[in-house]
Amino acid sequence: MTRKQSPTRISRRIGRFRTERRLILLAILAIILFTGWRWIKMHPEHDPTAPLDLNHPVGFATATKVSALRDDVPACRAVLERSEVAFTALDPAGEGACARPDRTRLDDYPLAPNTPPVTCAAAAALELWRTKTLAPAAQEIFGTGIARIEHLGAFSCRRTYGTAEGPWSEHATANAIDIAAFVLEDGRRISLIADWDGDDNEARFLRRAREGACDWFATVLSPDYNAAHADHFHLDQSPRWAGVCR
Ligand SMILES: [Zn+2]
């Protein structure tokens, strides 16, 4: 025979059950938050507040942090130092539209025939492009590394497409670089002019190179963009004009 319970006792029981359920939910929430916090502290690449290190794997927060370097030279140079990327900060040069207050030259980067100074933001993007895009793509597709990256120039005091009236080119401040070819460690040379078209390994590599550049640079123009870029990738870090990847 079951004992009859008074309505007050039942409602007290329900009340206690509700309080317990609330406490359990709070405990679960606290565990989830703590686990998430600990996970993000162990994965700074996903943490928007963690200092950027170019050696970390790529995470949810990486691209945002890289693009924030476009208008913060001291922060950008601090990132290169933290990431142990060797560079030289050269004296400012030029004047007017072609003034270059930020001339950052990577000391140990396989650019050929030389390594021109570029803006720090462009230097950081070049480093990420080499380590996160080009080296893994070359290894995966050809089973070898990148020996040289051939460029056509970074600084050029001119307007876009050499017009007399148009906006100044990102090359006017060396916030851009034009890349023409890659030489692999086994001596093979892959150039945009000779290898862009087709679906062989060389063309696949060049497409990977372009897609990867879009992760790090503000603007990427390839042979798909227009005939003026048939023989090179134009890569720049314009803070005003971002998002072109073609
Ligand atoms: Zn260019």
Side-chain angles (χ1 to χ4, degrees), residues 153 158 169 171 176-178 229 232-235:
R158 60 172 172 82
S169 162
H171 286 289
I177 189 162
D178 294 335
H229 295 85
H232 69 274
F233 291 136
H234 165 93
L235 315 173

Side-chain angles (χ1 to χ4, degrees), residues 167-234:
W168 287 92
S169 162
E170 291 300 316
H171 286 289
T173 50
N175 196 24
I177 189 162
D178 294 335
I179 304 290
F182 304 87
V183 179
L184 302 178
E185 274 167 1
D186 63 11
R188 252 181 298 183
R189 183 171 179 277
I190 302 159
S191 73
L192 272 84
I193 194 71
D195 300 304
W196 179 260
D197 292 320
D199 52 9
D200 53 9
N201 281 345
E202 283 77 2
R204 262 179 64 215
F205 172 79
L206 291 175
R207 281 187 176 57
R208 283 270 296 270
R210 191 223 5 223
E211 299 314 314
C214 295
D215 291 340
W216 313 120
F217 289 91
T219 297
V220 175
L221 306 178
S222 76
D224 281 349
Y225 183 67
N226 63 13
H229 295 85
D231 63 350
H232 69 274
F233 291 136
H234 165 93

Side-chain angles (χ1 to χ4, degrees), residues 111-170:
L111 278 171
N114 51 30
T115 302
V118 290
T119 57
C120 181
L126 278 170
E127 179 65 15
L128 285 162
W129 191 42
R130 180 180 72 82
T131 56
K132 311 289 189 209
T133 303
L134 300 175
Q139 202 54 246
E140 196 185 305
I141 297 173
F142 302 108
T144 185
I146 304 268
R148 287 196 301 285
I149 300 170
E150 296 178 3
H151 75 96
L152 302 175
F155 169 68
S156 173
C157 185
R158 60 172 172 82
R159 295 173 191 267
T160 48
Y161 298 108
T163 53
E165 298 280 306
W168 287 92
S169 162
E170 291 300 316

Side-chain angles (χ1 to χ4, degrees), residues 67 73 109 118 205:
S67 58
V73 179
Y109 196 93
V118 290
F205 172 79

